[in-house]
Amino acid sequence: MGWSHQHFSGEVIKILQYFDADLFCPDLESTTKDDVLAELTERLVASSQVKDSGLILDMLKRRESLGSTGIGKGVAIPHGRSLAIGDLRVLFARSTKGVEFEAVDKKPVHLFFLIVAPPQDKQNEYLPLLGKIAELVKEKSARDQLQGCESFEDLSELLEERFGV
Amino acid sequence: MKIVVVGAGEVGTHITSHLSSEGHDVILVDNDAGRLQKAENDLDALTVQGNGASLAVLERAGGGSADMIIAVTNVDEINIVACVTGKALGIKRRVARVKDVDYFAERAGRSMQKAGVDLMVNPDLEAALDIERLVSLPGATDVTDFGEARARMVGLYVAENSEVIGTPLRELDRKFGPLPVTIVAILRNEETMIPDGETKLQPGDHVFVIGESWLMPDVMGLIGEDIEPVHNVMVVGAGPVSRHLARYLVRHKIKVKIIEENAEKARRVAAELDHVMLLHGDGTDVELLDAEDVGQMDAFIAASNDEETNIMSCVLARHLGAKKTISLIRRSNYVPLMHAVGIDAAVSVRLSTATAIMKHFRKGEILSFAQLKESDAEALEFLAQPGCRAVKKPLLKLSIPRNAVVGAVIRGTQVIVPRGDTQIMDGDRVVVFALHDAIEGVEKIFSC
């Protein structure tokens, strides 16, 4: 049997610590995939300790060309590791119009979680975090709630309620 | 189940060997007495000599009471007629191996179905699809999709500097957090093992992981070498596999160069394919490969008709700096040597065809199936039906055979990485990885 059978996920990831009020963008303007990636990067740069926005954008584009991070049902999770960032960060963004993102189900994307991590994060929480967020947005009720978040407080409440942090 | 297989070539014998080892009654039909003799010696199957498209011969083969006919001779028309005859005999499920793409055109396809062919499998197309999946995921030796491509199984080598080396698998979760994948098998020293919690990965291990498709590039980066996207691909040979492949790759905005030895064929294919560069030359000509910048290629695919040429081209291309090399092969005896000579992956037209056919025609509840080239292990996708033993019990209590592991549970659009307390629900699709001796036990758990 594989190891996952014997091991139960013990530690709860403290998800909220990677989010920030400055990284809450409910009003994305871009309408194309490339523009959205650029806009997400810009917002990240404006609010956190990013050293080089060009590096981040290149990294995101490279990751997209290995397979779209548009995971379906109107959600995309663009992500990657980069030297240009010091700490793991998650930016939440929403597009009212929806963006053609080459998603697996070909549907336009409304909800974005941009996740950027340094090449090595101390707690190795990057991959599990990707998994957790993907799990969250697969529930219709969670997506509906995310669509309705008016402020960072709403988002924090939702995350606390869902992950108990 | 009683199954008539028409054609005792490599595809036919491969399918026969599998189906009979799982307890099905298989009758193998072929014109060639020598082939049948060999099959009889090697396989546990009855044989009937004669034309598999003939009503009399199929009747002699017990077609009147068969549940399924699989026609896989080298000749499309024999396979099609065998299905039509099978329908006349009342055989319910009928599949034909069909090479000519004209038969797949919309109207032709419909008329085939009407006439009695349930499913047509095109060998070249299946091989091209297998290669395309490998190209699009650099670093992967095997790529198999499950649950409408929501979950994916990937084979890859553990990198020398990977962070996962030396940590028992049960500790990985603690070190990296709950990983969104299951490591289902390790090939080490030509042996396949199903890891347990104590297993530690070693550099050079060939591992197989199952998880959500979209996360695979990230997981591969943790276990294997860093992967870079593919922009430039060189293909040797302008045969049907290469042409199908080129069409797929161009659609993904990848630049494709094809080298073809036959000048006339090169011209013809150049006219047929848009946005593909055709070169006239020999795929084992070092100077030509070098002049065409093979060292800059993200992937090099040798897909000519000649297996030895393909292997040679790949070895040269790797030597000249191509990042990934994939060889089309005919026989499987070379597979264990591939990695040693620097070939990253091998695709066999016959194995791809057999796999595509088996996918559709195994026991009703099995949805998908993949066989590892290097061993007799299989990954199977089951549909959990109400009332089967697998549902509504924690996995730990299911008495899953020792040499089997549940790799993923697909529930609606969700891919669940199973833990000991995970419960399978009615309608779930479950990907199980098993060594040959454990398959029967696994099938029992999933049958009603």
Side-chain angles (χ1 to χ4, degrees), chain B residues 237-272:
Chain B
V241 175
S242 303
R243 300 204 296 274
H244 287 304
L245 176 67
R247 284 196 195 93
Y248 289 131
L249 296 176
V250 166
R251 227 176 283 161
H252 289 106
K253 297 173 198 147
I254 293 170
K255 282 189 200 140
V256 183
K257 275 185 193 173
I258 298 181
I259 301 178
E260 166 58 47
E261 220 175 349
N262 178 319
E264 170 49 31
K265 193 171 178 185
R267 257 194 300 278
R268 197 159 27 88
V269 174
E272 178 193 320

PDB file of all heavy atoms in Angstrom, chain B residues 237-272:
ATOM      1  N   GLY B 237      11.105  10.771 -39.859  1.00  0.00           N
ATOM      2  CA  GLY B 237      10.124   9.935 -40.535  1.00  0.00           C
ATOM      3  C   GLY B 237       8.830  10.696 -40.741  1.00  0.00           C
ATOM      4  O   GLY B 237       8.364  11.373 -39.831  1.00  0.00           O
ATOM      5  N   ALA B 238       8.295  10.609 -41.960  1.00  0.00           N
ATOM      6  CA  ALA B 238       7.052  11.336 -42.255  1.00  0.00           C
ATOM      7  C   ALA B 238       5.895  10.367 -42.440  1.00  0.00           C
ATOM      8  O   ALA B 238       4.986  10.598 -43.218  1.00  0.00           O
ATOM      9  CB  ALA B 238       7.239  12.213 -43.493  1.00  0.00           C
ATOM     10  N   GLY B 239       5.947   9.270 -41.703  1.00  0.00           N
ATOM     11  CA  GLY B 239       4.864   8.283 -41.774  1.00  0.00           C
ATOM     12  C   GLY B 239       3.618   8.781 -41.069  1.00  0.00           C
ATOM     13  O   GLY B 239       3.582   9.909 -40.579  1.00  0.00           O
ATOM     14  N   PRO B 240       2.583   7.938 -41.018  1.00  0.00           N
ATOM     15  CA  PRO B 240       1.298   8.371 -40.453  1.00  0.00           C
ATOM     16  C   PRO B 240       1.395   8.812 -38.984  1.00  0.00           C
ATOM     17  O   PRO B 240       0.723   9.774 -38.605  1.00  0.00           O
ATOM     18  CB  PRO B 240       0.397   7.148 -40.607  1.00  0.00           C
ATOM     19  CG  PRO B 240       1.272   6.017 -41.021  1.00  0.00           C
ATOM     20  CD  PRO B 240       2.511   6.582 -41.609  1.00  0.00           C
ATOM     21  N   VAL B 241       2.210   8.122 -38.164  1.00  0.00           N
ATOM     22  CA  VAL B 241       2.308   8.536 -36.753  1.00  0.00           C
ATOM     23  C   VAL B 241       2.852   9.964 -36.675  1.00  0.00           C
ATOM     24  O   VAL B 241       2.321  10.826 -35.976  1.00  0.00           O
ATOM     25  CB  VAL B 241       3.220   7.574 -35.945  1.00  0.00           C
ATOM     26  CG1 VAL B 241       3.412   8.086 -34.525  1.00  0.00           C
ATOM     27  CG2 VAL B 241       2.638   6.167 -35.931  1.00  0.00           C
ATOM     28  N   SER B 242       3.921  10.231 -37.441  1.00  0.00           N
ATOM     29  CA  SER B 242       4.529  11.564 -37.433  1.00  0.00           C
ATOM     30  C   SER B 242       3.541  12.627 -37.915  1.00  0.00           C
ATOM     31  O   SER B 242       3.502  13.729 -37.383  1.00  0.00           O
ATOM     32  CB  SER B 242       5.759  11.599 -38.348  1.00  0.00           C
ATOM     33  OG  SER B 242       6.677  10.617 -37.958  1.00  0.00           O
ATOM     34  N   ARG B 243       2.764  12.282 -38.927  1.00  0.00           N
ATOM     35  CA  ARG B 243       1.844  13.292 -39.475  1.00  0.00           C
ATOM     36  C   ARG B 243       0.733  13.620 -38.472  1.00  0.00           C
ATOM     37  O   ARG B 243       0.391  14.780 -38.256  1.00  0.00           O
ATOM     38  CB  ARG B 243       1.257  12.808 -40.805  1.00  0.00           C
ATOM     39  CG  ARG B 243       2.350  12.545 -41.847  1.00  0.00           C
ATOM     40  CD  ARG B 243       1.828  12.648 -43.263  1.00  0.00           C
ATOM     41  NE  ARG B 243       0.834  11.643 -43.584  1.00  0.00           N
ATOM     42  CZ  ARG B 243       1.122  10.401 -44.018  1.00  0.00           C
ATOM     43  NH1 ARG B 243       2.380  10.018 -44.148  1.00  0.00           N
ATOM     44  NH2 ARG B 243       0.165   9.556 -44.319  1.00  0.00           N
ATOM     45  N   HIS B 244       0.159  12.593 -37.836  1.00  0.00           N
ATOM     46  CA  HIS B 244      -0.842  12.859 -36.789  1.00  0.00           C
ATOM     47  C   HIS B 244      -0.216  13.721 -35.685  1.00  0.00           C
ATOM     48  O   HIS B 244      -0.796  14.695 -35.222  1.00  0.00           O
ATOM     49  CB  HIS B 244      -1.338  11.558 -36.149  1.00  0.00           C
ATOM     50  CG  HIS B 244      -2.251  10.758 -37.017  1.00  0.00           C
ATOM     51  ND1 HIS B 244      -3.403  11.272 -37.549  1.00  0.00           N
ATOM     52  CD2 HIS B 244      -2.190   9.475 -37.442  1.00  0.00           C
ATOM     53  CE1 HIS B 244      -4.014  10.339 -38.270  1.00  0.00           C
ATOM     54  NE2 HIS B 244      -3.294   9.236 -38.218  1.00  0.00           N
ATOM     55  N   LEU B 245       0.983  13.317 -35.276  1.00  0.00           N
ATOM     56  CA  LEU B 245       1.661  14.011 -34.178  1.00  0.00           C
ATOM     57  C   LEU B 245       1.905  15.477 -34.532  1.00  0.00           C
ATOM     58  O   LEU B 245       1.636  16.376 -33.734  1.00  0.00           O
ATOM     59  CB  LEU B 245       2.995  13.308 -33.877  1.00  0.00           C
ATOM     60  CG  LEU B 245       3.875  13.968 -32.827  1.00  0.00           C
ATOM     61  CD1 LEU B 245       3.214  13.901 -31.459  1.00  0.00           C
ATOM     62  CD2 LEU B 245       5.251  13.285 -32.760  1.00  0.00           C
ATOM     63  N   ALA B 246       2.412  15.715 -35.752  1.00  0.00           N
ATOM     64  CA  ALA B 246       2.715  17.087 -36.185  1.00  0.00           C
ATOM     65  C   ALA B 246       1.465  17.959 -36.114  1.00  0.00           C
ATOM     66  O   ALA B 246       1.516  19.105 -35.669  1.00  0.00           O
ATOM     67  CB  ALA B 246       3.292  17.083 -37.593  1.00  0.00           C
ATOM     68  N   ARG B 247       0.326  17.406 -36.527  1.00  0.00           N
ATOM     69  CA  ARG B 247      -0.913  18.190 -36.479  1.00  0.00           C
ATOM     70  C   ARG B 247      -1.243  18.594 -35.045  1.00  0.00           C
ATOM     71  O   ARG B 247      -1.623  19.727 -34.782  1.00  0.00           O
ATOM     72  CB  ARG B 247      -2.078  17.389 -37.067  1.00  0.00           C
ATOM     73  CG  ARG B 247      -2.032  17.332 -38.574  1.00  0.00           C
ATOM     74  CD  ARG B 247      -3.365  16.879 -39.164  1.00  0.00           C
ATOM     75  NE  ARG B 247      -3.148  16.504 -40.548  1.00  0.00           N
ATOM     76  CZ  ARG B 247      -2.884  15.256 -40.943  1.00  0.00           C
ATOM     77  NH1 ARG B 247      -2.862  14.267 -40.070  1.00  0.00           N
ATOM     78  NH2 ARG B 247      -2.662  15.005 -42.209  1.00  0.00           N
ATOM     79  N   TYR B 248      -1.106  17.653 -34.100  1.00  0.00           N
ATOM     80  CA  TYR B 248      -1.376  17.980 -32.690  1.00  0.00           C
ATOM     81  C   TYR B 248      -0.424  19.064 -32.189  1.00  0.00           C
ATOM     82  O   TYR B 248      -0.834  20.008 -31.521  1.00  0.00           O
ATOM     83  CB  TYR B 248      -1.176  16.751 -31.793  1.00  0.00           C
ATOM     84  CG  TYR B 248      -2.220  15.689 -31.948  1.00  0.00           C
ATOM     85  CD1 TYR B 248      -1.859  14.362 -32.126  1.00  0.00           C
ATOM     86  CD2 TYR B 248      -3.570  16.004 -31.895  1.00  0.00           C
ATOM     87  CE1 TYR B 248      -2.810  13.369 -32.263  1.00  0.00           C
ATOM     88  CE2 TYR B 248      -4.527  15.017 -32.032  1.00  0.00           C
ATOM     89  CZ  TYR B 248      -4.135  13.705 -32.218  1.00  0.00           C
ATOM     90  OH  TYR B 248      -5.069  12.733 -32.347  1.00  0.00           O
ATOM     91  N   LEU B 249       0.865  18.878 -32.485  1.00  0.00           N
ATOM     92  CA  LEU B 249       1.866  19.786 -31.924  1.00  0.00           C
ATOM     93  C   LEU B 249       1.680  21.200 -32.458  1.00  0.00           C
ATOM     94  O   LEU B 249       1.771  22.178 -31.712  1.00  0.00           O
ATOM     95  CB  LEU B 249       3.277  19.273 -32.215  1.00  0.00           C
ATOM     96  CG  LEU B 249       3.641  17.927 -31.565  1.00  0.00           C
ATOM     97  CD1 LEU B 249       5.028  17.471 -32.011  1.00  0.00           C
ATOM     98  CD2 LEU B 249       3.576  18.014 -30.043  1.00  0.00           C
ATOM     99  N   VAL B 250       1.409  21.310 -33.758  1.00  0.00           N
ATOM    100  CA  VAL B 250       1.216  22.629 -34.366  1.00  0.00           C
ATOM    101  C   VAL B 250       0.038  23.345 -33.705  1.00  0.00           C
ATOM    102  O   VAL B 250       0.068  24.545 -33.467  1.00  0.00           O
ATOM    103  CB  VAL B 250       0.990  22.490 -35.897  1.00  0.00           C
ATOM    104  CG1 VAL B 250       0.445  23.778 -36.486  1.00  0.00           C
ATOM    105  CG2 VAL B 250       2.291  22.085 -36.572  1.00  0.00           C
ATOM    106  N   ARG B 251      -0.977  22.571 -33.372  1.00  0.00           N
ATOM    107  CA  ARG B 251      -2.141  23.152 -32.700  1.00  0.00           C
ATOM    108  C   ARG B 251      -1.741  23.788 -31.362  1.00  0.00           C
ATOM    109  O   ARG B 251      -2.362  24.732 -30.911  1.00  0.00           O
ATOM    110  CB  ARG B 251      -3.195  22.058 -32.466  1.00  0.00           C
ATOM    111  CG  ARG B 251      -4.587  22.482 -32.875  1.00  0.00           C
ATOM    112  CD  ARG B 251      -5.559  21.328 -32.715  1.00  0.00           C
ATOM    113  NE  ARG B 251      -5.449  20.355 -33.795  1.00  0.00           N
ATOM    114  CZ  ARG B 251      -5.904  19.099 -33.707  1.00  0.00           C
ATOM    115  NH1 ARG B 251      -6.460  18.661 -32.615  1.00  0.00           N
ATOM    116  NH2 ARG B 251      -5.797  18.292 -34.742  1.00  0.00           N
ATOM    117  N   HIS B 252      -0.705  23.242 -30.734  1.00  0.00           N
ATOM    118  CA  HIS B 252      -0.214  23.801 -29.477  1.00  0.00           C
ATOM    119  C   HIS B 252       0.901  24.817 -29.693  1.00  0.00           C
ATOM    120  O   HIS B 252       1.697  25.060 -28.784  1.00  0.00           O
ATOM    121  CB  HIS B 252       0.262  22.685 -28.538  1.00  0.00           C
ATOM    122  CG  HIS B 252      -0.858  21.870 -27.994  1.00  0.00           C
ATOM    123  ND1 HIS B 252      -1.125  20.596 -28.419  1.00  0.00           N
ATOM    124  CD2 HIS B 252      -1.820  22.165 -27.086  1.00  0.00           C
ATOM    125  CE1 HIS B 252      -2.188  20.136 -27.779  1.00  0.00           C
ATOM    126  NE2 HIS B 252      -2.629  21.074 -26.973  1.00  0.00           N
ATOM    127  N   LYS B 253       0.988  25.339 -30.896  1.00  0.00           N
ATOM    128  CA  LYS B 253       1.951  26.386 -31.244  1.00  0.00           C
ATOM    129  C   LYS B 253       3.399  25.924 -31.079  1.00  0.00           C
ATOM    130  O   LYS B 253       4.285  26.729 -30.773  1.00  0.00           O
ATOM    131  CB  LYS B 253       1.710  27.651 -30.404  1.00  0.00           C
ATOM    132  CG  LYS B 253       0.348  28.273 -30.665  1.00  0.00           C
ATOM    133  CD  LYS B 253       0.108  29.414 -29.693  1.00  0.00           C
ATOM    134  CE  LYS B 253      -1.358  29.778 -29.607  1.00  0.00           C
ATOM    135  NZ  LYS B 253      -1.777  30.232 -28.305  1.00  0.00           N
ATOM    136  N   ILE B 254       3.635  24.633 -31.246  1.00  0.00           N
ATOM    137  CA  ILE B 254       5.004  24.116 -31.169  1.00  0.00           C
ATOM    138  C   ILE B 254       5.566  24.039 -32.589  1.00  0.00           C
ATOM    139  O   ILE B 254       4.864  23.655 -33.528  1.00  0.00           O
ATOM    140  CB  ILE B 254       5.000  22.725 -30.497  1.00  0.00           C
ATOM    141  CG1 ILE B 254       4.585  22.872 -29.026  1.00  0.00           C
ATOM    142  CG2 ILE B 254       6.354  22.042 -30.630  1.00  0.00           C
ATOM    143  CD1 ILE B 254       4.319  21.571 -28.314  1.00  0.00           C
ATOM    144  N   LYS B 255       6.838  24.468 -32.736  1.00  0.00           N
ATOM    145  CA  LYS B 255       7.475  24.427 -34.064  1.00  0.00           C
ATOM    146  C   LYS B 255       7.959  23.014 -34.357  1.00  0.00           C
ATOM    147  O   LYS B 255       8.669  22.420 -33.540  1.00  0.00           O
ATOM    148  CB  LYS B 255       8.662  25.383 -34.103  1.00  0.00           C
ATOM    149  CG  LYS B 255       8.243  26.822 -34.274  1.00  0.00           C
ATOM    150  CD  LYS B 255       9.468  27.681 -34.537  1.00  0.00           C
ATOM    151  CE  LYS B 255       9.126  29.126 -34.223  1.00  0.00           C
ATOM    152  NZ  LYS B 255      10.222  29.807 -33.548  1.00  0.00           N
ATOM    153  N   VAL B 256       7.589  22.493 -35.517  1.00  0.00           N
ATOM    154  CA  VAL B 256       7.916  21.107 -35.849  1.00  0.00           C
ATOM    155  C   VAL B 256       8.745  21.025 -37.127  1.00  0.00           C
ATOM    156  O   VAL B 256       8.408  21.633 -38.135  1.00  0.00           O
ATOM    157  CB  VAL B 256       6.622  20.268 -36.046  1.00  0.00           C
ATOM    158  CG1 VAL B 256       6.976  18.811 -36.325  1.00  0.00           C
ATOM    159  CG2 VAL B 256       5.706  20.374 -34.833  1.00  0.00           C
ATOM    160  N   LYS B 257       9.861  20.272 -37.046  1.00  0.00           N
ATOM    161  CA  LYS B 257      10.669  19.942 -38.223  1.00  0.00           C
ATOM    162  C   LYS B 257      10.610  18.445 -38.426  1.00  0.00           C
ATOM    163  O   LYS B 257      10.848  17.692 -37.478  1.00  0.00           O
ATOM    164  CB  LYS B 257      12.145  20.283 -37.969  1.00  0.00           C
ATOM    165  CG  LYS B 257      12.568  21.698 -38.238  1.00  0.00           C
ATOM    166  CD  LYS B 257      14.083  21.809 -38.059  1.00  0.00           C
ATOM    167  CE  LYS B 257      14.463  23.289 -38.015  1.00  0.00           C
ATOM    168  NZ  LYS B 257      15.892  23.458 -37.688  1.00  0.00           N
ATOM    169  N   ILE B 258      10.289  18.011 -39.639  1.00  0.00           N
ATOM    170  CA  ILE B 258      10.283  16.568 -39.907  1.00  0.00           C
ATOM    171  C   ILE B 258      11.398  16.238 -40.901  1.00  0.00           C
ATOM    172  O   ILE B 258      11.538  16.914 -41.919  1.00  0.00           O
ATOM    173  CB  ILE B 258       8.927  16.109 -40.496  1.00  0.00           C
ATOM    174  CG1 ILE B 258       7.787  16.370 -39.513  1.00  0.00           C
ATOM    175  CG2 ILE B 258       8.983  14.627 -40.874  1.00  0.00           C
ATOM    176  CD1 ILE B 258       6.414  15.923 -40.002  1.00  0.00           C
ATOM    177  N   ILE B 259      12.189  15.212 -40.584  1.00  0.00           N
ATOM    178  CA  ILE B 259      13.217  14.735 -41.507  1.00  0.00           C
ATOM    179  C   ILE B 259      12.732  13.450 -42.157  1.00  0.00           C
ATOM    180  O   ILE B 259      12.369  12.493 -41.467  1.00  0.00           O
ATOM    181  CB  ILE B 259      14.543  14.437 -40.762  1.00  0.00           C
ATOM    182  CG1 ILE B 259      15.045  15.707 -40.074  1.00  0.00           C
ATOM    183  CG2 ILE B 259      15.587  13.894 -41.724  1.00  0.00           C
ATOM    184  CD1 ILE B 259      16.316  15.495 -39.269  1.00  0.00           C
ATOM    185  N   GLU B 260      12.685  13.439 -43.493  1.00  0.00           N
ATOM    186  CA  GLU B 260      12.202  12.249 -44.209  1.00  0.00           C
ATOM    187  C   GLU B 260      13.215  11.867 -45.277  1.00  0.00           C
ATOM    188  O   GLU B 260      13.695  12.703 -46.027  1.00  0.00           O
ATOM    189  CB  GLU B 260      10.820  12.549 -44.814  1.00  0.00           C
ATOM    190  CG  GLU B 260      10.319  11.559 -45.846  1.00  0.00           C
ATOM    191  CD  GLU B 260      10.210  10.130 -45.340  1.00  0.00           C
ATOM    192  OE1 GLU B 260       9.666   9.916 -44.246  1.00  0.00           O
ATOM    193  OE2 GLU B 260      10.700   9.214 -46.051  1.00  0.00           O
ATOM    194  N   GLU B 261      13.506  10.578 -45.332  1.00  0.00           N
ATOM    195  CA  GLU B 261      14.535  10.065 -46.240  1.00  0.00           C
ATOM    196  C   GLU B 261      14.101  10.083 -47.692  1.00  0.00           C
ATOM    197  O   GLU B 261      14.900  10.343 -48.594  1.00  0.00           O
ATOM    198  CB  GLU B 261      14.877   8.634 -45.820  1.00  0.00           C
ATOM    199  CG  GLU B 261      16.340   8.355 -45.901  1.00  0.00           C
ATOM    200  CD  GLU B 261      16.678   6.981 -45.370  1.00  0.00           C
ATOM    201  OE1 GLU B 261      15.817   6.326 -44.749  1.00  0.00           O
ATOM    202  OE2 GLU B 261      17.821   6.578 -45.577  1.00  0.00           O
ATOM    203  N   ASN B 262      12.834   9.817 -47.919  1.00  0.00           N
ATOM    204  CA  ASN B 262      12.324   9.716 -49.278  1.00  0.00           C
ATOM    205  C   ASN B 262      11.889  11.111 -49.776  1.00  0.00           C
ATOM    206  O   ASN B 262      10.961  11.710 -49.246  1.00  0.00           O
ATOM    207  CB  ASN B 262      11.139   8.740 -49.249  1.00  0.00           C
ATOM    208  CG  ASN B 262      10.476   8.567 -50.588  1.00  0.00           C
ATOM    209  OD1 ASN B 262      10.292   9.537 -51.328  1.00  0.00           O
ATOM    210  ND2 ASN B 262      10.118   7.343 -50.896  1.00  0.00           N
ATOM    211  N   ALA B 263      12.597  11.612 -50.827  1.00  0.00           N
ATOM    212  CA  ALA B 263      12.381  12.989 -51.285  1.00  0.00           C
ATOM    213  C   ALA B 263      10.942  13.211 -51.737  1.00  0.00           C
ATOM    214  O   ALA B 263      10.322  14.227 -51.414  1.00  0.00           O
ATOM    215  CB  ALA B 263      13.344  13.312 -52.428  1.00  0.00           C
ATOM    216  N   GLU B 264      10.407  12.251 -52.444  1.00  0.00           N
ATOM    217  CA  GLU B 264       9.056  12.378 -52.967  1.00  0.00           C
ATOM    218  C   GLU B 264       8.045  12.469 -51.814  1.00  0.00           C
ATOM    219  O   GLU B 264       7.163  13.325 -51.798  1.00  0.00           O
ATOM    220  CB  GLU B 264       8.784  11.165 -53.891  1.00  0.00           C
ATOM    221  CG  GLU B 264       7.357  10.979 -54.363  1.00  0.00           C
ATOM    222  CD  GLU B 264       6.741  12.261 -54.918  1.00  0.00           C
ATOM    223  OE1 GLU B 264       7.494  13.089 -55.475  1.00  0.00           O
ATOM    224  OE2 GLU B 264       5.501  12.458 -54.751  1.00  0.00           O
ATOM    225  N   LYS B 265       8.249  11.597 -50.823  1.00  0.00           N
ATOM    226  CA  LYS B 265       7.352  11.587 -49.666  1.00  0.00           C
ATOM    227  C   LYS B 265       7.458  12.910 -48.898  1.00  0.00           C
ATOM    228  O   LYS B 265       6.455  13.472 -48.444  1.00  0.00           O
ATOM    229  CB  LYS B 265       7.725  10.416 -48.746  1.00  0.00           C
ATOM    230  CG  LYS B 265       6.700  10.103 -47.683  1.00  0.00           C
ATOM    231  CD  LYS B 265       7.096   8.803 -46.994  1.00  0.00           C
ATOM    232  CE  LYS B 265       6.153   8.432 -45.880  1.00  0.00           C
ATOM    233  NZ  LYS B 265       6.636   7.221 -45.166  1.00  0.00           N
ATOM    234  N   ALA B 266       8.691  13.398 -48.764  1.00  0.00           N
ATOM    235  CA  ALA B 266       8.906  14.660 -48.063  1.00  0.00           C
ATOM    236  C   ALA B 266       8.126  15.779 -48.744  1.00  0.00           C
ATOM    237  O   ALA B 266       7.470  16.595 -48.085  1.00  0.00           O
ATOM    238  CB  ALA B 266      10.394  14.992 -48.010  1.00  0.00           C
ATOM    239  N   ARG B 267       8.182  15.819 -50.076  1.00  0.00           N
ATOM    240  CA  ARG B 267       7.454  16.850 -50.828  1.00  0.00           C
ATOM    241  C   ARG B 267       5.953  16.722 -50.602  1.00  0.00           C
ATOM    242  O   ARG B 267       5.249  17.705 -50.374  1.00  0.00           O
ATOM    243  CB  ARG B 267       7.762  16.716 -52.330  1.00  0.00           C
ATOM    244  CG  ARG B 267       8.749  17.759 -52.849  1.00  0.00           C
ATOM    245  CD  ARG B 267       8.772  17.810 -54.369  1.00  0.00           C
ATOM    246  NE  ARG B 267       9.154  16.541 -54.966  1.00  0.00           N
ATOM    247  CZ  ARG B 267      10.415  16.127 -55.099  1.00  0.00           C
ATOM    248  NH1 ARG B 267      11.410  16.884 -54.692  1.00  0.00           N
ATOM    249  NH2 ARG B 267      10.690  14.961 -55.652  1.00  0.00           N
ATOM    250  N   ARG B 268       5.474  15.476 -50.688  1.00  0.00           N
ATOM    251  CA  ARG B 268       4.047  15.236 -50.553  1.00  0.00           C
ATOM    252  C   ARG B 268       3.551  15.678 -49.161  1.00  0.00           C
ATOM    253  O   ARG B 268       2.540  16.366 -49.025  1.00  0.00           O
ATOM    254  CB  ARG B 268       3.771  13.739 -50.759  1.00  0.00           C
ATOM    255  CG  ARG B 268       2.346  13.402 -51.051  1.00  0.00           C
ATOM    256  CD  ARG B 268       2.205  12.028 -51.753  1.00  0.00           C
ATOM    257  NE  ARG B 268       3.267  11.081 -51.464  1.00  0.00           N
ATOM    258  CZ  ARG B 268       3.270  10.232 -50.422  1.00  0.00           C
ATOM    259  NH1 ARG B 268       2.305  10.253 -49.550  1.00  0.00           N
ATOM    260  NH2 ARG B 268       4.266   9.374 -50.258  1.00  0.00           N
ATOM    261  N   VAL B 269       4.292  15.283 -48.130  1.00  0.00           N
ATOM    262  CA  VAL B 269       3.852  15.605 -46.771  1.00  0.00           C
ATOM    263  C   VAL B 269       3.971  17.110 -46.496  1.00  0.00           C
ATOM    264  O   VAL B 269       3.137  17.693 -45.804  1.00  0.00           O
ATOM    265  CB  VAL B 269       4.654  14.769 -45.735  1.00  0.00           C
ATOM    266  CG1 VAL B 269       4.308  15.190 -44.322  1.00  0.00           C
ATOM    267  CG2 VAL B 269       4.368  13.287 -45.930  1.00  0.00           C
ATOM    268  N   ALA B 270       4.988  17.742 -47.108  1.00  0.00           N
ATOM    269  CA  ALA B 270       5.145  19.192 -46.950  1.00  0.00           C
ATOM    270  C   ALA B 270       3.899  19.907 -47.458  1.00  0.00           C
ATOM    271  O   ALA B 270       3.438  20.895 -46.877  1.00  0.00           O
ATOM    272  CB  ALA B 270       6.385  19.672 -47.681  1.00  0.00           C
ATOM    273  N   ALA B 271       3.357  19.403 -48.567  1.00  0.00           N
ATOM    274  CA  ALA B 271       2.164  20.032 -49.132  1.00  0.00           C
ATOM    275  C   ALA B 271       0.936  19.771 -48.257  1.00  0.00           C
ATOM    276  O   ALA B 271       0.007  20.575 -48.217  1.00  0.00           O
ATOM    277  CB  ALA B 271       1.933  19.501 -50.549  1.00  0.00           C
ATOM    278  N   GLU B 272       0.979  18.652 -47.549  1.00  0.00           N
ATOM    279  CA  GLU B 272      -0.193  18.237 -46.766  1.00  0.00           C
ATOM    280  C   GLU B 272      -0.268  18.962 -45.410  1.00  0.00           C
ATOM    281  O   GLU B 272      -1.355  19.280 -44.925  1.00  0.00           O
ATOM    282  CB  GLU B 272      -0.088  16.720 -46.562  1.00  0.00           C
ATOM    283  CG  GLU B 272      -1.188  16.102 -45.737  1.00  0.00           C
ATOM    284  CD  GLU B 272      -0.818  14.656 -45.333  1.00  0.00           C
ATOM    285  OE1 GLU B 272      -0.247  13.914 -46.164  1.00  0.00           O
ATOM    286  OE2 GLU B 272      -1.110  14.300 -44.172  1.00  0.00           O
TER     287      GLU B 272
END
